[in-house]
Amino acid sequence: MRRKQYAYISVNGPNNDGPPPETARDKAVASGHTINALAIPAPLQPVNDLALSFDPDEGVWQDPTDYLYTHVIGGPNSFATTARTPDEYRPALRRKIITEIAGWSHNL
């Protein structure tokens, strides 16, 4: 039986340097990897700092979990989950690890 392979990444927003993440994702998935993610969004910024959250290429801010679903995760049963507060981190990480080990669907 082939052992599942996982890739782990860390992001704090949309890609702003290097090749598009879809290129790396597609290559990893073609090699048999599954890419899952745990998003930890930054606290909401005051309106006057909102420009710091905008993707310069797309002109809009995208929620980190949505960004991971759209551009990063891939492979069989891949998923992204979110921890919005420090108290949510431990349960979200546990849920992510259990889901990976069990091979459950990405419907978290």
Side-chain angles (χ1 to χ4, degrees):
M1 179 179 199
R2 185 174 171 189
R3 183 175 168 215
K4 274 191 164 184
Q5 299 179 44
Y6 292 95
Y8 298 93
I9 65 160
S10 175
V11 301
N12 63 357
N15 184 48
N16 59 6
D17 190 26
E22 294 88 349
T23 304
R25 176 201 57 212
D26 294 346
K27 185 176 179 181
V29 170
S31 296
H33 295 273
T34 297
I35 304 168
N36 298 322
L38 171 58
I40 306 170
L44 292 176
Q45 298 176 353
V47 175
N48 60 345
D49 290 339
L50 194 57
L52 300 175
S53 299
F54 282 93
D55 178 340
D57 295 326
E58 297 178 13
V60 296
W61 184 85
Q62 190 173 17
D63 177 78
T65 307
D66 292 342
Y67 178 80
L68 292 168
Y69 265 109
T70 305
H71 304 284
V72 177
I73 69 164
N77 293 323
S78 61
F79 65 91
T81 189
T82 307
R84 297 198 180 281
T85 67
D87 289 339
E88 290 179 5
Y89 179 74
R90 181 180 238 154
L93 182 59
R94 178 180 298 230
R95 185 172 58 249
K96 178 181 178 291
I97 292 169
I98 290 171
T99 302
E100 289 172 338
I101 292 169
W104 292 333
S105 172
H106 64 277
N107 297 322
L108 291 178

